[in-house]
């Protein structure tokens, strides 16, 4: 099975409007589009890592439960600095939390999708 499962290619994030979501991710998070498909209403975004994010429009209502939702976690060298930069762009951000290993916070796209940023603390 190891030879057949070769890592994660992309993470799907369902959105209510592909145009609105793509614009938000491109402008607010400064992610570049790798591929756009108007027929399928999807945009694949470069996350500066081997794993991309695919925004995919759905006609279904989007209902997010932060306690049970799957979500991407972005690496950052400075959680506090990133949080402030996102906040200045008008993005909804939670407070920075810390445990013994990481500093992290949650933030949200226009559909309320959960995103996280995480800074590993060196010991």
């Amino acid at each position: 099975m190891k030879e057949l499962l070769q890592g994660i290619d992309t993470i799907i994030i369902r959105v209510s409007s592909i145009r609105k979501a793509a614009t938000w991710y491109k402008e607010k998070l400064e992610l570049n589009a790798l591929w756009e498909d108007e027929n399928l209403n999807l945009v694949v975004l470069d996350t500066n890592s081997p794993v991309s994010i695919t925004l995919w429009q759905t006609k279904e209502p989007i209902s997010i439960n932060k306690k049970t939702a799957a979500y991407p976690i972005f690496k950052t060298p400075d959680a506090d600095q990133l949080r402030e930069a996102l906040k200045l762009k008008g993005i909804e951000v939670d407070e920075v939390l810390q445990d013994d290993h990481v500093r992290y916070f949650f933030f949200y796209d226009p559909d309320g999708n959960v995103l996280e940023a995480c800074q590993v603390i060196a010991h």
Side-chain angles (χ1 to χ4, degrees), residues 65-119:
N65 179 336
K66 183 174 155 183
K67 293 183 179 184
T68 61
Y71 51 86
I73 300 175
F74 294 90
K75 292 194 293 188
T76 181
D78 189 323
D80 296 298
Q81 187 177 356
L82 176 59
R83 181 183 177 278
E84 286 307 308
L86 295 174
K87 193 173 174 183
L88 286 172
K89 290 184 172 206
I91 296 172
E92 179 186 350
V93 295
D94 289 351
E95 294 300 317
V96 173
L97 303 171
Q98 182 170 330
D99 63 25
D100 292 340
H101 306 284
V102 295
R103 292 180 55 73
Y104 64 98
F105 66 93
F106 296 98
F107 60 106
Y108 308 89
D109 76 4
D111 285 299
N113 286 304
V114 179
L115 307 168
E116 183 181 322
C118 180
Q119 171 191 351

Side-chain angles (χ1 to χ4, degrees), residues 49-81:
S49 75
V51 180
S52 63
I53 288 178
T54 298
L55 305 176
W56 198 349
Q57 183 174 305
T58 180
K59 292 180 182 177
E60 300 295 320
I62 296 174
S63 177
I64 308 296
N65 179 336
K66 183 174 155 183
K67 293 183 179 184
T68 61
Y71 51 86
I73 300 175
F74 294 90
K75 292 194 293 188
T76 181
D78 189 323
D80 296 298
Q81 187 177 356

